[in-house]
Amino acid sequence: YAWDDNEEYLFKAMVAFAMRRYSSKSTTQISNVLLCNVTDRVSFWFVVTDSSKNVTTVPGSEVEAAIRMNRNRINNAFLLSDKTLQFLKITSTLSPPVEPSTPVWLIVFGVVLCLIVAGILFLVVSGIQKHKKKNKDSTERENLEEKVEVTLENGIPCEALDLKPGHINGVFAADDERFTSL
Amino acid sequence: LSATPEMPKEDGRPKWDNKFQYILSCIGFAVGLGNVWRFPYLCQIHGGGAFLIPYFIALLFEGIPLLHLELALGQYLRRGSIGAWNTISPYLGGVGVGSWMVSVLVSLYYNTVLTWVMWYFINSFQEPLPWSVCPLNENRTGFNEECYESTAVNYFWYRKTLNITPDIAESGKLQWWLILCLAACWLIVYLCTIRGIESTGKAIYVTAIFPYLVLTIFLIQGLTLPGATEGLIYLFTPNLNTLKNPRVWLDAATQIFFSLSLAFGGLIAFASYNPTKNDCEKDAVTVAIVNSMTSLYASIPVFSVLGFKATTAYWDCLDRNIINIINEFDLPEESIMRQNYTSWISFLNSSYPEKIAGLKLKSCDLQEFLDQSVSGTGLAFIVFTQAIILMPGSQAWAILFFIMLFSLGLSSMFGNIEGVFTPLLELQIIPKSAPKELLSGIICLISFLIALSFTLGSGSYWIDIFDRYAASVPLLVIAFFEVIGVVYIYKIKRFSKDVEWMTGRKLNLYWQIAWRFISPLLLLIVFMAFVTLQMQKPPSYTAWNPKYEGFPMKEEKVYPPWIQAICVLLAALPPVCVPLVALFHLVKQKRRSKDPSSASPEIFSCQGANN
């Protein structure tokens, strides 16, 4: 928007409003605010006079304090911000950044960690299960192979031959005669 | 007579599910963080498009032959690095041990870089991004001083992430947030490498392909940003004069060598899980070309974004000057725009020179902003993060960018871990009945505990040391011994026959010449040039010291002697294994020859060339 007399009027009104709020006296009028040296840049000097005290100017520190208190309202009246509406020698207090109770990154980290640990547990458990199954399978296969080997032998299981000791046939060794008498 | 059924794995060795997994694993190992943050930087400082000439010559005569050599070796001998070199000759076993050591050292620090990436990733979910605003000081009257003097991105990187100490000798404390991220990273590595290639083979589909997707997205977005074209023109404008500088050729050779991840033993391990009748020649050429193409492809979005950042900084500089001038001369708003800035400045300078001088305007030069080239972590964590703040929807871009960096690094970690894991598995450190998961768990746990030292305040200085000394010179030496060992000890004729048996066609003359003469010669030259350059000045580093007069410039400091000793140790330990193991076997041989009753199998394998 263009800066014209109406905007100047609004500015005077805002400064008067700020003075009124700050000092809580309702004596400051718009006519008390004087602008001078208005340039095309839209920069100017202004003073606030005190009509009750014989046309003296209000000390700069009071004006500064008043404006600082109502900075937000003044900015919003002109749809500007601290950067675009500058009062020289009035520094703005900075608002602290919003800090949530738990830092956001910790939450994200927690989510990521849970996913990883779940994945590892799943893989380890499935690995153990596969291992057990493989062991069971291999012992089964070993048994199968033993049987296969055993039956492929001569027909007589070797173990049977090994286990049983020699058998004395009573028919032939019945009597003490070891040699037949001629 | 036995009716045992035919085992699907003839020697119990795991194998790839399909050829694509193998190729993807090799590509993922080769394509890493260096492709994104080192190659574009080299291209920029060495005359843009002209750098591609030494780069492709190095690829042709150094990269591809060495890659083919490693893949063929692993595939034929079907063993990891230590086992493979022991098979070629026990005197050369040291080459395998050296590779294994380098893989261990690199795995330790590489995952810490991924820790930083993860830290940035989990911090990208906030609005506004934490590296875009400076925190306030204690009494809330202004911003934190360290942050105010440098920039918010610098502050977040050096203070909030690293909490860096001003000197490498000051260790500082362990940073608990980095420890958490480090633990998460090692758990991720464990998750993916838990069963060796059975698990990495599945994970690689995601980690190797995802970066290409993100690069494409960044490419499209980057090209639409204002100032992208300036960045690209600046990157690719060839300046053929730079080719006269031997430094350019050295950088090209070292970039190719380190980019392909040669001499780590990881490639040998990957190839050893292949069926023997596999065309390793085609694989080598494919992997090398894809790696180089990826570097080129990645430099386009990187430089679009850097051009955008330089242009934005230039505009900011202009705007600041314009505001100052308008305030000083009380000119109406929008009387001076960026376009007529120069004409206004010259007019005002002629009419009111003292006023203009009193304003102390900064000279704004786009070229100067483009010239601020950074590589490595500075590119990713400072320059790029700053550019991301300026883009609309910064959180999404930050998240994408850091996931991409994480995948790139993770797929390279797979190769590193495989280079450590496979030889240990073959040496049967743990009994055969114990599951593989145990060995990978032990490796990850021990690495995590050692890597905790990188989370100290001085951690990033140590990582620089490891990067510069453990992962550079030893690799060159080991690669040299690899080529010499295969060509002259194993004998090139025998190796050619092996390769022909595997690929099914006769070996091209190009490979013979490259393996016999060109590659070893090139490696020797590169090694000597590299060492000479390092020795020219005392090893120094730049430290971030808020109390330095030139702050926010970094302070140049020289390494104290005890750290220089550690650097030498890191660089010398892996290569020294080669002669040590040879000596050890020589002594063992002499002792055995004194006792002729025991037949030594070493003699058989030493003279196995006569088979």
Side-chain angles (χ1 to χ4, degrees), chain B residues 80-158:
Chain B
S81 56
I82 300 186
W85 290 102
N86 265 329
T87 314
I88 290 196
S89 160
Y91 291 100
L92 282 180
V95 178
V97 177
S99 302
W100 181 84
M101 262 197 202
V102 176
S103 286
V104 168
L105 292 172
V106 171
S107 304
L108 287 176
Y109 83 81
Y110 204 79
N111 217 15
T112 314
V113 177
L114 288 187
T115 305
W116 298 336
V117 174
M118 167 165 276
W119 166 253
Y120 268 79
F121 167 70
I122 59 183
N123 269 297
S124 306
F125 286 87
Q126 304 175 29
E127 163 69 42
L129 289 170
W131 54 83
S132 60
V133 285
C134 270
L136 302 172
N137 56 18
E138 282 90 36
N139 45 9
R140 293 215 208 130
T141 51
F143 293 115
N144 178 303
E145 196 188 324
E146 189 183 345
C147 185
Y148 184 69
E149 307 228 332
S150 57
T151 58
V153 259
N154 273 331
Y155 178 76
F156 187 73
W157 168 236
Y158 287 111

Side-chain angles (χ1 to χ4, degrees), chain B residues 267-286:
Chain B
L267 288 167
I268 298 183
F270 280 156
S272 70
Y273 296 116
N274 265 344
T276 36
K277 292 269 194 183
N278 177 48
D279 192 347
C280 48
E281 185 179 340
K282 206 158 65 143
D283 296 341
V285 175
T286 311

Side-chain angles (χ1 to χ4, degrees), chain B residues 16 28 77 142 145 169 194 199 201 212 222 239 296 324 342 356 442 465 553 560 569:
Chain B
W16 300 105
L77 296 173
E145 196 188 324
I194 195 167
S199 39
Y212 288 98
N239 177 12
L296 275 172
N324 281 339
T342 30
I356 293 283
I442 294 175
I465 288 185
M553 298 296 289
L569 198 71

Side-chain angles (χ1 to χ4, degrees), chain B residues 482-501:
Chain B
E482 279 190 4
V483 182
I484 297 293
V486 167
V487 169
Y488 296 110
I489 300 188
Y490 188 76
K491 297 282 191 294
I492 186 82
K493 280 208 176 68
R494 183 178 175 198
F495 191 63
S496 313
K497 270 213 229 71
D498 296 337
V499 177
E500 281 166 26
W501 180 77

